[in-house]
Amino acid sequence: MRVTRRAVLVGAGAALAAPALGASAGEALSKRIPATGEPVPAVGIGSWITFNVGDDPLLRAECRAVMAAFFEAGGGMVDSSPMYGSSQAVIGDALATLGHPAGLFSADKVWIDAADGPAQIAETTRRWGVQRFDLLQVHNLIDWEANLDTLEAMKAAGRLRYTGVTTSHGRRHEELEEVMRSRPPDFVQLTYNIVDREVERRLLPLALEQGIAVICNRPFQRGRLPDWLAGHPLPGWASEIGVSTWPQFLLKFIISHPAVTAAIPATRRVDHVRENKSAAFGPMPDAAMRRRMAEHVESL
Amino acid sequence: MSWTLEDLLLFSPQVYWRLFALENDAVWPAQPVVLAAAALLALTFIWGRRPSGRWLGPVLGAAWLWTGWQFVALRYGTVNWVAPTLAWGFYAEAALLVGLGLSGRLVFVQQERGAWPGIGLVAAVLIWPVLAPLDGRPWREAEIIALAPDPTAVATLGLLALAERSRWTALLCIAPVLWLAVSTLTLVTMGAWQGWAVLAALLAGLAAWVAPLVRKPG
Ligand SMILES: NC(=O)c1ccc[n+]([C@@H]2O[C@H](COP(=O)([O-])OP(=O)(O)OC[C@H]3O[C@@H](n4cnc5c(N)ncnc54)[C@H](OP(=O)(O)O)[C@@H]3O)[C@@H](O)[C@H]2O)c1
């Protein structure tokens, strides 16, 4: 599916589209998974809190609309976990309603002692209603060695495409580094955003070196960053990188890092998912611009 | 960066409040019936009568069973995987209320003084439904005794403050106190001011239960 900047921005609403429509139409940024070279859209979607709406019919309809907008804008990685309450079932419901759209890169996790891992994965698969997952990750390193055994066996048997390990909030980075060195999975997921940048020192360079794909969670610090920055004007030079809103600024900062494969902002708003997807279009900041962006946010 | 309570919260405030709307839709028109019953109960105490624990225990037990099962386990459980476990506390409280009530161990007594804190807490659940509109939310999201856990626990603490103090009634305080503590943490973490109302009711209930023991000479 070829998604143009125009298609996404027209959907993103007049306020967003106005300054950007003049830009040349281009394709959304995709990044290659080092293990295979397969491209994935650089902006995916998370599901922590936002999609945990239980059986509420009204809120489920809102989630379906968000997922529909996500796939209209090119789709990509959808990330969930057994830890996220009803989120998996809500995603499954949306996928079924949307007729299992092309462009899905399904990513979930195993979050239990390895002995119970296979049963949990079976339940997760049932909730999503997929044949198999593109990516399964060991959530927060729980029983990681034995769980990775399970995932690697599934991959070898053709029942899984990629393996991964996750952390968040900057915790347990040393342990993650140890995993990346001793048993590199296809993917790691960690917290990275314009203010939480500790991973730039060791983990991101190591991922490049080891050929591990990187998924960035908490790109907006759970929504705190857009809320806080909304009170500040965008710097004039933001237009040089095709940015007209703070969320675009925050996402471009992340996905332009050479080691990063995808950012997975969570949202329950159609306008926000379109805005987030729009960040994958247009010029991307280079290393010098990324430094400038971080310094600017630090100075606020 | 380190863990905060916020990291443990799995759902948004909107999702939580709408659980009450869904529950209210499902059981309408039970609300006016249980509220009228609660009002009558408060009036009974205000008039100086003391109902028998032999029927009030099982009735209150039924309220705990229903709330634990229908709201905590089945509805709250859809967004919080801890909830079905928490519901066991509600079932235990229900069983204790029925058992202690029927066996005559739950006795409502004429207190020398100070029945008002207990009566106040029972009466508080009559105004509890107003918290939703006070918060700018629809009446549909009102929390009603016997259907929603907070007012059920608050009324129970009020009634226990009106009962004879014993090891048994102390045991009956455990579930409501623990639930209200959990609820306070949940609501405050959610950024909802109702958490402070729950905490105030919890502290008032504890104080009302303990006060006569402290006052007792010797
Ligand atoms: N250990 C792990 O494996 C782990 C840990 C943490 C997170 N994750 C994954 O990473 C995902 C992302 O992290 P997160 O959900 O914690 O935080 P996040 O994506 O940084 O922030 C989500 C919040 O940002 C707001 N938002 C999204 N788009 C916006 C926009 N365009 N403008 C303004 N606000 C916007 C959303 O509110 P609205 O709904 O109002 O848009 C939402 O409240 C999670 O959902 C989860 O899938 C994994």
Side-chain angles (χ1 to χ4, degrees), chain A residues 85-110:
Chain A
S86 57
S87 297
Q88 296 175 323
V90 168
I91 290 169
D93 174 29
L95 291 177
T97 314
L98 299 173
H100 290 272
L104 169 67
F105 187 95
S106 53
D108 209 290
K109 306 185 190 103
V110 56

Side-chain angles (χ1 to χ4, degrees), chain B residues 183-196:
Chain B
S183 188
T184 299
L185 284 178
T186 307
L187 293 169
V188 169
T189 307
M190 241 164 63
W193 56 265
Q194 288 86 343
W196 303 113

Side-chain angles (χ1 to χ4, degrees), chain A residues 16 37 41 60 65-66 81-82 115 130 143 146 166 172 175 177 181 190 213 217 227 243 255-256 295:
Chain A
L16 262 180
R60 275 203 175 206
V66 168
S81 166
V130 292
D143 203 1
T166 81
R172 302 177 68 182
E175 212 174 334
E177 186 175 337
R181 286 190 193 282
L190 38 76
N217 62 38
D227 284 352
V243 158
I255 61 179
S256 60
E295 281 165 10

Side-chain angles (χ1 to χ4, degrees), chain B residues 21-177:
Chain B
L22 295 173
E23 181 64 16
N24 282 330
D25 289 351
V27 299
W28 176 260
Q31 294 83 345
V33 178
V34 285
L35 284 174
L40 201 64
L41 190 62
L43 284 174
T44 308
F45 280 99
I46 290 170
W47 290 330
R49 308 240 180 85
R50 293 297 175 259
S52 164
R54 286 186 199 272
W55 66 263
L56 191 46
V59 166
L60 204 54
W64 275 83
L65 180 65
W66 180 264
T67 309
W69 176 41
Q70 288 297 311
F71 187 85
V72 181
L74 295 185
R75 218 168 274 285
Y76 192 25
T78 61
V79 296
N80 186 350
W81 36 261
V82 188
T85 308
L86 295 178
W88 285 100
F90 283 69
Y91 306 149
E93 180 77 359
L96 273 174
L97 280 164
V98 173
L100 297 178
L102 289 178
S103 64
R105 291 191 178 88
L106 179 60
V107 181
F108 295 99
V109 286
Q110 296 288 353
Q111 278 145 331
E112 317 86 74
R113 51 184 190 141
W116 289 107
I119 295 175
L121 283 170
V122 176
V125 305
L126 298 173
I127 50 170
W128 208 267
V130 180
L131 294 184
L134 273 183
D135 194 29
R137 294 182 285 111
W139 278 103
R140 279 178 69 215
E141 295 178 4
E143 292 168 67
I144 314 279
I145 178 173
L147 306 173
D150 286 356
T152 304
V154 169
T156 303
L157 281 188
L159 289 171
L160 292 174
L162 293 161
E164 205 168 65
R165 302 295 182 273
S166 69
R167 245 178 306 146
W168 299 114
T169 50
L171 205 61
L172 285 172
C173 288
I174 295 175
V177 164

Side-chain angles (χ1 to χ4, degrees), chain A residues 52 56 83 169 222 268, chain B residues 1 10 14 18 79 81:
Chain A
N52 182 18
D56 195 320
M83 186 194 172
H169 307 53
R222 283 189 62 175
R268 240 195 45 220
Chain B
M1 286 179 273
L10 289 157
Q14 185 198 17
R18 278 190 50 85
V79 296
W81 36 261

Side-chain angles (χ1 to χ4, degrees), chain A residues 47-48 79 140 166 189 217 220 266-268 272 275-276:
Chain A
S47 63
W48 164 246
D79 177 77
N140 285 349
T166 81
Q189 184 182 142
N217 62 38
F220 294 150
T267 180
R268 240 195 45 220
H272 283 174
E275 180 178 31
N276 297 343

Side-chain angles (χ1 to χ4, degrees), chain A residues 48-50 52-59 62 82-86 111 140 168-171 191 196 198 218 221-222 224 268, chain B residues 1-19 21-22 74-81 140 189:
Chain A
W48 164 246
I49 295 187
T50 48
N52 182 18
V53 299
D55 298 329
D56 195 320
L58 189 83
L59 302 184
E62 286 180 18
M83 186 194 172
Y84 301 170
S86 57
W111 177 64
N140 285 349
S168 70
H169 307 53
R171 280 184 290 259
T191 295
D196 298 315
E198 194 202 300
R218 313 228 147 177
Q221 254 198 357
R222 283 189 62 175
R224 258 178 242 121
R268 240 195 45 220
Chain B
M1 286 179 273
S2 63
W3 286 106
T4 61
L5 267 178
E6 221 186 342
D7 299 325
L8 302 176
L9 203 67
L10 289 157
F11 43 80
S12 68
Q14 185 198 17
V15 164
Y16 183 74
W17 297 129
R18 278 190 50 85
L19 294 174
L22 295 173
L74 295 185
R75 218 168 274 285
Y76 192 25
T78 61
V79 296
N80 186 350
W81 36 261
R140 279 178 69 215
T189 307

Side-chain angles (χ1 to χ4, degrees), chain A residues 248-259:
Chain A
Q248 291 174 334
F249 186 99
L250 295 169
L251 287 174
K252 282 208 181 209
F253 174 83
I254 298 169
I255 61 179
S256 60
H257 191 289

